[in-house]
Amino acid sequence: MRHKEIRVFPDPVLREKAQEVKRFDEGIREVIQRMRRIMQEAEGIGLAAPQIGILQRIIVGDTGEERVAIVNPEILQAEGEDVMEEGCLSIPGVYIEIRRPTWIKVRGIDENGDEKEWEIEGLLARVVQHEIDHLNGTLIVDYLSAREYMRFQREYERLMSGDEE
Ligand code: NI
């Protein structure tokens, strides 16, 4: 679902590298709350701060069963592998099969400002990896081959122009 606060491809902010959060304060807490609200309103299962124009390393995820908020996430370990179709709130209408590890160990700061390590598997592991990609300016379309990417661009332009009237 489109959400007016979510930046949409090809918005250049989606290609920027987000900055590490140096100090966890009330402002960061507010960003996390705002991200959760927008993710829910958009009916998404994950969101990264750059998607709302904030170039800081903050992600949230909520699969309905498990939820997480991680500041400065860093993947320490990854295992397993599977392929799943992914969408992105910033690239509406596009779904791409992506191969990723099924289990990850992540270090970061939680929503209370405490350093923490998470062991995450299944859908939430996929979400967290997708959102960490956003912090580095990487999008699901970057997993396409050159030929597939050209096709995506053509179809996406058509999709977007039909959307605007
Ligand atoms: Ni995304």
Side-chain angles (χ1 to χ4, degrees):
M1 189 192 290
R2 294 291 289 274
H3 190 289
K4 63 182 190 326
E5 290 175 77
I6 296 179
R7 304 297 188 91
V8 167
F9 184 86
D11 188 319
V13 79
L14 296 171
R15 290 308 197 177
E16 299 273 330
K17 192 171 157 66
Q19 298 298 304
E20 196 180 321
V21 172
K22 298 284 187 208
R23 205 167 69 94
F24 190 98
D25 57 15
E26 201 47 43
I28 300 300
R29 251 181 255 271
E30 280 167 17
V31 171
I32 291 171
Q33 280 176 12
R34 186 172 157 220
M35 287 171 64
R36 282 206 165 117
R37 171 181 58 78
I38 293 169
M39 174 175 64
Q40 273 176 8
E41 288 170 355
E43 296 174 3
I45 57 175
L47 194 71
Q51 292 182 273
I52 57 168
I54 297 173
L55 283 171
Q56 288 186 299
R57 302 187 80 80
I58 307 171
I59 64 170
V60 296
D62 188 346
T63 62
E65 292 186 343
E66 297 175 277
R67 72 174 204 166
V68 76
I70 312 178
V71 173
N72 299 339
E74 191 189 337
I75 294 175
L76 303 175
Q77 238 180 299
E79 281 171 27
E81 188 180 274
D82 73 353
V83 176
M84 214 179 123
E85 205 171 60
E86 293 182 24
C88 180
L89 292 171
S90 291
I91 316 180
V94 174
Y95 300 90
I96 293 168
E97 286 196 336
I98 299 177
R99 182 179 302 275
R100 295 193 194 267
T102 53
W103 177 93
I104 51 173
K105 187 183 205 175
V106 182
R107 180 168 60 202
I109 298 168
D110 71 10
E111 58 204 280
N112 301 312
D114 298 320
E115 285 223 21
K116 193 175 157 179
E117 279 183 16
W118 290 259
E119 290 184 25
I120 306 172
E121 62 182 352
L123 182 57
L124 191 61
R126 182 165 285 273
V127 169
V128 166
Q129 292 172 83
H130 174 119
E131 304 313 332
I132 291 175
D133 273 355
H134 274 296
L135 303 181
N136 298 320
T138 299
L139 301 170
I140 54 175
V141 293
D142 299 337
Y143 291 86
L144 295 173
S145 67
R147 177 192 292 261
E148 289 167 335
Y149 190 86
M150 283 187 344
R151 197 178 65 196
F152 150 73
Q153 280 188 307
R154 280 198 307 272
E155 288 175 2
Y156 190 72
E157 272 170 35
R158 199 176 314 139
L159 210 66
M160 289 294 107
S161 58
D163 222 44
E164 274 163 25
E165 73 216 46

